[in-house]
């Protein structure tokens, strides 16, 4: 059996390894890959067409994220490593870095989505408000009610304070900038048409160079096929042409993107200037609109119309001041996020958020409080009993029906919530297994020390239960990360979604294995890394010893 297994593995490797190592890296389409393979004496299946990975690298990694802002997700994941260091390697990294780990989620969201810096600061402030309410209330009422008041204060801050304060700050910063912003915009619009013409000329020039090189390359291929004697030199010349073509096509893509950017900047600038020019009229009309609301009291129809007019004017002013007074990064829409960037956002968010929620659900399921236990059991069983794809479709299509009319809820945020809830139900059961595996004496020992419930869980029970549950926890994390590919069914372009769009392109129609091998290899690297860290943690904590 061993010999047969070795022979089988050798047979498989004999077919795969030459195919992978003999692949083509410089080509603009599958047809070019086959041309190069044919010129070297092979057929269309004798080597892989890795050129598709080189050609669509940025889309597979970043999706449609603006190229000029690639540094933002890169910096985000570099900072993530810094934020995770004090958690994953607590023996080697100073614990003071935990402050940065706590603030990191807000920094990451701001870096990837951009926008005003006031929003993440105000969200952080909401937790400070909740904490202050808890400290004040805990001296007056019992702890459970104090926690409830703190949560209520935090939610109220999110609902009413963040938008209001953000609008005031934008107006305070934006109003003094108005004249300078209009002058800069007009000056920019004066030179943009010339930049558009220059970009168009560059694109045309590169197109002509590409056509010339393609003609020369095809001539070399024809000579090789004619069976001339000096094939080796011609093959080297062919590879040189392919490398030149790859460089030119990269320049072609960059020039086309530059043309798109400058054209969009021109069109956006025209619209923005028209918007800016309405601001003085809105400011002038505001007192009259407020007076109309006051005068319409008692007439419901007139009052509703006056309030609508006032609300519309205020919203238009807020949107103008949001641009004028922005202190932060240019915003990026969720629909522009895709590829592995999207998979990592969903996976990391789900992992980080589902872990504490799973602990709470596991403790709730073991609680002696009937209501809390019933809610926890119902949540876990309902979530686990429905496939993840159903919850994703619910997040994509049905959730908006339960929200107030006019409410916009970002699709990526909805998916993060659903993925987190789904993973937390499984996480709760894994941790409950760890809690059940602890000897009863550990609970009784905590009670004998006079510890309250929170202290006994934090100091005695949970550290041991989590240590026992490490393999199951990591397995849940790995499964969650791999399940992020299911978002392709609700229209989000994760790596699998982009593989479908790439294969739909006429240049790459027929490429299958190369893309899926690349995607599978990337997922394997992440999952294998988590598995190795799990084994390191088990050795460090000596999970075999209780």
């Amino acid at each position: 059996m061993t010999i047969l297994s070795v022979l089988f593995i050798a047979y498989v490797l004999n077919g795969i390894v030459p195919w992978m190592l003999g692949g083509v890296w410089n080509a603009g389409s599958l047809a070019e890959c086959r041309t190069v393979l044919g010129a070297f004496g092979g057929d269309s299946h004798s080597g892989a067409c890795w050129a598709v990975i080189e050609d669509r690298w940025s889309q597979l990694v970043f999706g449609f994220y603006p190229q000029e802002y690639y540094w933002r997700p890169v910096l985000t994941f570099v900072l993530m490593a810094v934020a995770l260091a004090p958690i994953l390697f607590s023996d080697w990294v100073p614990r003071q870095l935990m402050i940065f780990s706590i603030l990191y989620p807000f920094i990451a969201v701001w870096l990837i989505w951009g926008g005003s810096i006031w929003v993440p600061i105000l969200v952080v402030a909401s937790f400070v408000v909740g904490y202050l309410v808890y400290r004040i209330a805990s001296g007056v009422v019992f702890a459970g009610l104090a926690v409830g008041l703190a949560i209520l204060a935090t939610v109220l801050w999110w609902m009413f304070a963040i938008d209001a304060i953000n609008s005031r700050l934008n107006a305070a910063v934006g109003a003094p900038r108005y004249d300078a912003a209009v002058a800069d915009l007009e000056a920019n619009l004066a030179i943009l048409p010339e930049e558009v013409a220059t970009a168009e000329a560059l694109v045309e020039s590169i197109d002509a160079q590409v056509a010339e090189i393609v003609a020369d390359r095809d001539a070399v291929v024809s000579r090789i096929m004619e069976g001339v004697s000096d094939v080796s030199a011609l093959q080297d010349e062919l590879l040189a042409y392919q490398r030149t073509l790859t460089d030119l096509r990269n320049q072609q893509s960059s020039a086309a993107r530059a043309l798109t950017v400058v054209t969009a900047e021109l069109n956006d600038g025209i619209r923005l200037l028209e918007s800016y020019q309405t601001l003085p009229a809105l400011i002038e009309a505001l007192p009259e609109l407020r007076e109309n609301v006051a005068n319409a009291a008692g007439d419901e129809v007139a009052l509703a119309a006056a309030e609508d007019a006032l609300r519309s004017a205020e919203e238009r002013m807020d949107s103008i001041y949001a641009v004028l007074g922005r202190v932060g990064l240019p915003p990026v829409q969720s629909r522009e996020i895709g590829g592995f960037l999207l998979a990592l956002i969903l996976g990391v968010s789900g992992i980080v958020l589902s872990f504490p929620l799973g602990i709470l659900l596991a403790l709730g399921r073991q609680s002696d409080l009937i209501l809390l236990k019933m809610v926890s059991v119902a949540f876990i069983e309902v979530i686990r009993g429905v496939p993840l794809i159903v919850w994703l479709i619910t997040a994509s299509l049905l959730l908006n029906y339960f929200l107030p009319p006019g409410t916009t809820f970002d699709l990526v945020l909805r998916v993060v919530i659903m993925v987190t809830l789904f993973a937390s139900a499984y996480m709760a059961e894994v941790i409950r297994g760890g809690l059940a595996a602890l000897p009863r004496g550990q609970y009784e020992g905590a009670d004998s020390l006079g510890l309250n419930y929170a202290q006994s869980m934090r100091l005695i029970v949970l550290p041991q239960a989590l240590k026992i549950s490490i393999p199951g926890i990591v397995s849940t994390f790995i499964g969650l990360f791999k399940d992020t590919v299911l978002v392709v069914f609700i229209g989000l372009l994760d790596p699998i979604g982009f593989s479908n769009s790439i294969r739909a392109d006429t240049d790459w129609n027929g490429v299958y294995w190369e893309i899926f091998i690349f995607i599978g290899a990337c997922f394997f690297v992440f999952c294998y890394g988590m598995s190795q860290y799990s084994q390191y943690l088990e050795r460090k904590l000596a999970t075999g010893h209780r």
Side-chain angles (χ1 to χ4, degrees):
M1 183 59 72
T2 302
I3 295 173
L4 287 176
S5 300
V6 171
L7 290 174
F8 176 76
I9 293 172
Y11 173 77
V12 172
L13 291 179
N14 184 50
I16 292 178
V17 173
W19 178 81
M20 296 183 72
L21 297 181
V24 178
W25 286 92
N26 295 311
S29 65
L30 180 59
E32 284 191 13
C33 282
R34 289 172 174 171
T35 299
V36 174
L37 290 172
F40 279 81
D43 56 28
S44 59
H45 301 293
S46 60
C49 186
W50 299 118
V52 65
I53 306 300
E54 194 274 340
D55 188 59
R56 299 304 177 94
W57 169 264
S58 58
Q59 287 185 352
L60 286 169
V61 175
F62 296 103
F64 294 119
Y65 205 87
Q67 191 178 26
E68 63 271 26
Y69 303 141
Y70 279 177
W71 63 271
R72 284 161 51 174
V74 171
L75 178 61
T76 300
F77 287 104
V78 170
L79 293 178
M80 185 180 74
V82 177
L84 288 176
I87 300 170
L88 300 181
F89 306 102
S90 56
D91 292 345
W92 304 333
V93 180
R95 293 187 61 82
Q96 289 80 359
L97 267 180
M98 283 296 294
I99 297 174
F100 178 75
S101 303
I102 294 171
L103 295 176
Y104 172 75
F106 308 100
I107 298 172
V109 171
W110 178 64
L111 278 175
I112 291 178
W113 275 273
S116 171
I117 188 66
W118 305 124
V119 175
I121 291 176
L122 290 170
V123 172
V124 173
S126 69
F127 293 102
V128 176
V129 169
Y131 175 73
L132 292 175
V133 169
Y134 171 77
R135 290 297 301 269
I136 295 171
S138 60
V140 181
V141 298
F142 62 91
L145 182 56
V147 171
L149 290 174
I151 294 174
L152 178 63
T154 303
V155 172
L156 290 176
W157 179 276
W158 289 345
M159 294 176 62
F160 300 108
I162 290 180
D163 281 345
I165 296 175
N166 185 42
S167 298
R168 300 294 184 278
L169 290 171
N170 286 335
V173 176
R177 292 179 175 178
Y178 178 75
D179 292 334
V182 170
D184 290 344
L185 195 53
E186 289 175 340
N188 198 29
L189 288 176
I191 62 173
L192 278 175
E194 184 179 349
E195 292 186 9
V196 170
T198 304
E200 288 175 340
L202 180 60
V203 169
E204 291 177 2
S205 171
I206 296 175
D207 287 346
Q209 294 179 56
V210 169
E212 184 179 346
I213 296 296
V214 167
D216 294 341
R217 183 208 59 189
D218 291 345
V220 172
V221 172
S222 299
R223 293 178 61 192
I224 293 174
M225 295 304 176
E226 289 171 359
V228 297
S229 57
D230 191 11
V231 174
S232 177
L234 288 175
Q235 288 175 340
D236 292 341
E237 191 176 352
L238 172 61
L239 292 179
Y241 277 130
Q242 285 300 136
R243 285 193 290 270
T244 306
L245 270 177
T246 301
D247 293 339
L248 281 175
R249 282 179 175 131
N250 289 335
Q251 295 176 30
Q252 194 177 33
S253 300
S254 300
R257 279 195 296 269
L259 176 60
T260 303
V261 169
V262 74
T263 303
E265 189 178 354
L266 176 61
N267 295 330
D268 292 345
I270 293 171
R271 284 194 294 270
L272 191 58
L273 182 60
E274 291 174 352
S275 174
Y276 282 173
Q277 290 169 341
T278 63
L279 184 60
L282 289 171
I283 295 174
E284 187 177 353
L286 209 57
E288 183 180 350
L289 292 172
R290 288 173 177 157
E291 187 178 346
N292 290 342
V293 172
N295 293 336
D299 186 342
E300 293 185 1
V301 176
L303 180 62
E307 287 178 342
D308 287 343
L310 176 61
R311 189 181 308 111
S312 174
E314 289 176 340
E315 289 176 352
R316 290 170 61 190
M317 289 178 61
D318 287 344
S319 65
I320 295 172
Y321 281 132
V323 180
L324 278 173
R326 180 187 302 144
V327 180
L329 298 170
V332 174
Q333 302 299 318
S334 291
R335 63 176 179 273
E336 297 175 300
I337 299 173
F340 278 102
L341 175 59
L342 178 62
L344 285 172
I345 289 173
L346 297 178
V348 172
S349 303
I351 288 170
V352 171
L353 297 175
S354 66
F355 184 59
L357 192 54
I359 293 175
L360 293 177
L361 287 169
L363 294 176
R365 186 159 189 166
Q366 285 207 326
S367 173
D368 295 330
L369 300 174
I370 299 300
L371 179 61
L372 181 60
K373 184 172 184 175
M374 289 176 61
V375 170
S376 301
V377 171
F379 177 89
I380 292 170
E381 297 302 333
V382 169
I383 293 290
R384 284 201 312 166
V386 179
L388 176 58
I389 185 64
V390 175
W391 291 118
L392 292 177
I393 292 173
T394 301
S396 172
L397 301 176
L398 302 180
L399 201 57
N400 275 345
Y401 289 106
F402 302 102
L403 298 174
T407 303
T408 57
F409 202 12
D410 189 89
L411 179 57
V412 173
L413 180 59
R414 280 181 270 163
V415 171
V416 167
I417 292 172
M418 282 301 176
V419 168
T420 300
L421 295 179
F422 189 81
S424 63
Y426 282 88
M427 186 66 63
E429 288 302 278
V430 171
I431 295 171
R432 188 171 69 89
L435 292 171
L438 280 184
R440 188 65 193 167
Q442 297 296 317
Y443 295 88
E444 295 170 352
D447 294 338
S448 67
L449 292 173
L451 301 177
N452 60 29
Y453 179 79
Q455 290 172 330
S456 64
M457 288 295 120
R458 182 169 60 87
L459 300 175
I460 306 293
V461 177
L462 279 178
Q464 299 181 73
L466 293 178
K467 187 173 74 170
I468 297 170
S469 307
I470 287 175
I473 291 172
V474 176
S475 295
T476 305
F477 286 166
I478 291 174
L480 167 64
F481 184 60
K482 291 189 295 185
D483 284 346
T484 57
V485 298
L486 291 175
V487 298
V488 68
F489 293 108
I490 57 172
L492 292 179
L493 291 176
D494 74 321
I496 298 296
F498 267 107
S499 73
N500 295 332
S501 63
I502 291 171
R503 288 183 294 110
D505 191 324
T506 53
D507 285 340
W508 300 111
N509 189 9
V511 174
Y512 294 94
W513 289 104
E514 293 85 345
I515 300 175
F516 290 123
I517 287 174
F518 171 75
I519 294 172
C522 291
F523 271 102
F524 174 78
V525 168
F526 288 115
C527 296
Y528 185 70
M530 285 190 274
S531 174
Q532 289 300 302
Y533 178 75
S534 162
Q535 294 178 29
Y536 158 76
L537 202 57
E538 288 182 48
R539 290 193 298 272
K540 176 185 171 185
L541 298 177
T543 52
H545 179 266
R546 298 182 186 177

